[in-house]
Amino acid sequence: MQPSEVVMNPKQVFLSLLIFGVAGLLLFMYLQMWIEEQHTGRVEKKREQKATAGWGSVHYLQPGPRIMTREKIQEHNTNQNPKYHMPEDPKKKKENLLNSERAIRGLTETSHSQREGQALGKTTESPTFKLIEKHQGTKTFFKKFREMNWPLDIHPLNRSLVKDNKWRRTDETQEKRRSFLQEFCKKYGGVSHPQSHLFHMVSRIYVEDKHKILYCEVPKAGCSNWKRILMVLNGLAPSAYNISHDAVHYGKHLKKLDSFDLKGIYTRLNTFTKAVFVRDPMERLVSAFRDKFEHPNSYYHPVFGKAIIKKYRPNACEEALNNGSGVTFKEFVHYLLDSHRPVGMDIHWEKVSKLCYPCLINYDFVGKFETLEEDANYFLQMIGAPKELKFPNFKDRHSSDERTNAQVVRQYLKDLTRTERQLIYDFYYLDYLMFNYTTPFL
């Protein structure tokens, strides 16, 4: 081919120009985004400083828990009380079913980001900047926590309204429980800041503003009757005995702490009396199983029952697969211990350490289901409730059934292998230790 013949046709010229044009456009867009990102970063920093100004000291949070190895907790448990000594797990290879080395981990959720934005005040900026502000709320709030000297000392209860000397023994027990929990959290809590999303952390806490109460709901530990008490204190009902189960759980009459903005949460955690009521973990688990799977249930059978039967029952019949009824306790335990559950966790058998965060929120009152009436009535006196208001002792549902107690639990555990019983204990290990419950017979 002669040099004079090397000529590009019009199509080649057009294609070359198009390629160079697109490349130039992409380069221009990249540079523009980079410049905007740098500018936004500087603006965010100024807004962050403005948003956190004036919050003052934080007094209600404890140090965020570090990863607690089984050996370290075992040493603490043995030193506190030899009778709680935990034997070595004979099936350590089962760890794929249960991450027993893990303590309370931070959970990150963004379902309440709108409330975070409201807490930072009004803005007339673009929607994009508003979204940035919403997610900055909790981030800047927790940034303040890192700068604090954590309050490791518990504060004394206000007993000025308790006039009767008969509560002396109850008061001494209460002090022991709080001190035990405090020492446990101090020893294993570390000094890191809370990693859990704030709104998730307080999502189980009910608010009663008149008597300044915060109650953390632990299902299967008297929570239905406690919510009845809160409704009476709120003036929503004259008596706890006149409130139905559906009104308690589906009426939405009570406020939760996560419905407030950041400042509202902060103020109430610092000034209100915070209470949590717990129960022996194994009893609570069996109680939840009996309630949800041994009686007709339009939610737990189709949602949990069908998934459990499908995965853990070989050759399941079509009827069981279709309606989810008839789940056995052994199948339920297999679901609980499975790290790849076919359906997620539920608050009725979730650990208290992940419902109420007792090593992050410094609870003023720690009640137990085993002494529920005594603890609850003492607490009502302490917060100045009406004298005629007493904690109800009736069974909320299935009143003809025997209450779940130690004897009932043993009947359910006998169908499990020793390894399965051990793994249940491992699953609730922190709850057993934090609240000083005796190791069950495995």
Side-chain angles (χ1 to χ4, degrees):
M1 182 179 291
Q2 299 298 323
S4 60
E5 296 177 346
V6 182
V7 179
M8 296 180 66
N9 60 48
K11 289 184 178 180
Q12 291 175 320
V13 173
F14 176 77
L15 184 61
S16 299
L17 291 174
L18 182 63
I19 292 173
F20 280 111
V22 171
L25 180 62
L26 291 173
L27 179 62
F28 173 77
M29 292 174 64
Y30 173 79
L31 290 173
Q32 187 180 34
M33 290 173 61
W34 182 82
I35 292 171
E36 289 180 354
E37 183 178 349
Q38 296 298 312
H39 174 71
T40 303
R42 290 192 294 270
V43 175
E44 286 178 25
K45 187 173 181 180
K46 292 179 180 179
R47 290 273 179 174
E48 177 177 326
Q49 293 171 349
K50 183 178 179 180
T52 56
W55 279 99
S57 300
V58 177
H59 298 293
Y60 64 87
L61 290 180
Q62 296 274 87
R66 299 173 295 188
I67 296 177
M68 305 180 196
T69 64
R70 187 177 179 82
E71 288 74 17
K72 284 192 68 179
I73 300 179
Q74 182 66 56
E75 178 187 355
H76 167 79
N77 196 25
T78 305
N79 291 340
Q80 288 288 337
N81 196 330
K83 74 175 182 179
Y84 298 139
H85 179 69
M86 177 65 199
E88 199 68 64
D89 187 352
K91 298 288 184 181
K92 288 189 177 180
K93 292 183 181 180
K94 294 272 184 178
E95 287 295 329
N96 63 319
L97 293 179
L98 172 67
N99 297 321
S100 59
E101 296 287 330
R102 294 181 183 175
I104 308 171
R105 294 284 192 173
L107 300 178
T108 55
E109 294 186 358
T110 58
S111 60
H112 301 282
S113 58
Q114 184 175 0
R115 296 177 190 135
E116 296 171 37
Q118 294 171 351
L120 297 178
K122 296 181 179 180
T123 176
T124 57
E125 301 293 339
S126 67
T128 302
F129 193 85
K130 289 179 181 179
L131 184 62
I132 293 172
E133 269 197 321
K134 290 174 185 178
H135 289 284
Q136 283 295 112
T138 301
K139 177 183 175 183
T140 56
F141 195 65
F142 281 140
K143 183 179 179 181
K144 296 292 289 183
F145 295 165
R146 288 198 295 269
E147 301 168 0
M148 302 298 167
N149 293 319
W150 296 103
L152 298 180
D153 295 329
I154 57 177
H155 305 291
L157 291 169
N158 179 12
R159 302 176 180 82
S160 59
L161 297 175
V162 180
K163 306 298 183 182
D164 199 331
N165 288 330
K166 74 176 184 178
W167 300 111
R168 181 175 299 175
R169 184 175 62 86
T170 306
D171 182 68
E172 291 174 354
T173 300
Q174 184 58 217
E175 284 301 317
K176 290 178 182 178
R177 290 174 186 169
R178 295 200 312 151
S179 297
F180 186 91
L181 177 60
Q182 175 71 19
E183 288 302 314
F184 177 88
C185 294
K186 184 188 296 186
K187 186 168 184 178
Y188 297 104
V191 293
S192 60
H193 70 286
Q195 296 178 0
S196 175
H197 192 286
L198 176 63
F199 287 96
H200 175 84
M201 192 173 75
V202 300
S203 63
R204 305 310 315 168
I205 298 180
Y206 285 86
V207 179
E208 202 281 287
D209 281 310
K210 183 178 179 181
H211 295 83
K212 296 187 175 182
I213 299 170
L214 297 181
Y215 163 71
C216 186
E217 175 191 29
V218 177
K220 314 311 300 178
C223 70
S224 297
N225 283 337
W226 258 118
K227 285 190 274 189
R228 288 184 171 92
I229 288 291
L230 294 179
M231 291 175 69
V232 174
L233 291 173
N234 264 308
L236 300 172
S239 170
Y241 291 88
N242 299 329
I243 307 173
S244 68
H245 174 87
D246 288 351
V248 167
H249 292 284
Y250 309 120
K252 300 186 182 301
H253 301 293
L254 299 172
K255 293 180 181 179
K256 288 187 177 180
L257 192 53
D258 64 347
S259 66
F260 296 89
D261 60 20
L262 287 173
K263 190 172 183 180
I265 295 173
Y266 169 89
T267 302
R268 286 167 176 80
L269 283 172
N270 267 303
T271 59
F272 283 27
T273 302
K274 301 173 289 294
V276 60
F277 278 70
V278 299
R279 185 177 186 177
D280 177 272
M282 206 74 80
E283 276 192 24
R284 182 170 163 254
L285 177 68
V286 173
S287 177
F289 171 78
R290 296 176 72 199
D291 181 30
K292 305 306 178 187
F293 295 101
E294 291 188 347
H295 296 274
N297 193 295
S298 60
Y299 173 74
Y300 284 92
H301 289 192
V303 175
F304 287 86
K306 290 168 67 172
I308 290 173
I309 291 172
K310 182 178 179 180
K311 183 167 185 179
Y312 306 107
R313 183 182 298 179
N315 305 316
C317 68
E318 186 175 348
E319 182 182 0
L321 291 171
N322 288 337
N323 60 33
S325 299
V327 171
T328 67
F329 186 63
K330 192 178 187 74
E331 291 168 341
F332 175 66
V333 167
H334 286 175
Y335 145 79
L336 179 76
L337 301 176
D338 191 349
S339 59
H340 301 288
R341 299 183 190 95
V343 61
M345 278 295 288
D346 182 84
I347 59 171
H348 291 85
W349 46 84
E350 180 62 279
K351 308 163 190 174
V352 177
S353 55
K354 285 191 174 182
L355 291 174
C356 298
Y357 296 88
C359 276
L360 290 177
I361 298 174
N362 195 4
Y363 287 96
D364 304 299
F365 193 94
V366 180
K368 289 192 173 183
F369 185 82
E370 293 75 15
T371 53
L372 179 58
E373 282 188 66
E374 181 181 340
D375 292 346
N377 287 323
Y378 173 61
F379 180 79
L380 290 175
Q381 277 213 8
M382 193 180 69
I383 55 98
K387 291 183 179 180
E388 65 275 10
L389 181 60
K390 304 297 180 184
F391 192 83
N393 59 2
F394 63 85
K395 204 169 184 283
D396 186 54
R397 292 203 301 173
H398 317 307
S399 56
S400 61
D401 290 359
E402 182 184 3
R403 284 187 183 271
T404 303
N405 52 37
Q407 289 75 26
V408 172
V409 169
R410 278 196 286 270
Q411 293 300 312
Y412 282 81
L413 293 183
K414 73 179 184 180
D415 295 329
L416 306 179
T417 65
R418 188 185 188 284
T419 298
E420 289 166 342
R421 295 194 295 268
Q422 179 71 52
L423 287 172
I424 295 174
Y425 176 82
D426 291 345
F427 185 83
Y428 292 108
Y429 195 60
L430 277 181
D431 286 1
Y432 271 104
L433 296 188
M434 284 180 174
F435 303 109
N436 200 19
Y437 275 109
T438 305
T439 304
F441 178 73
L442 301 174

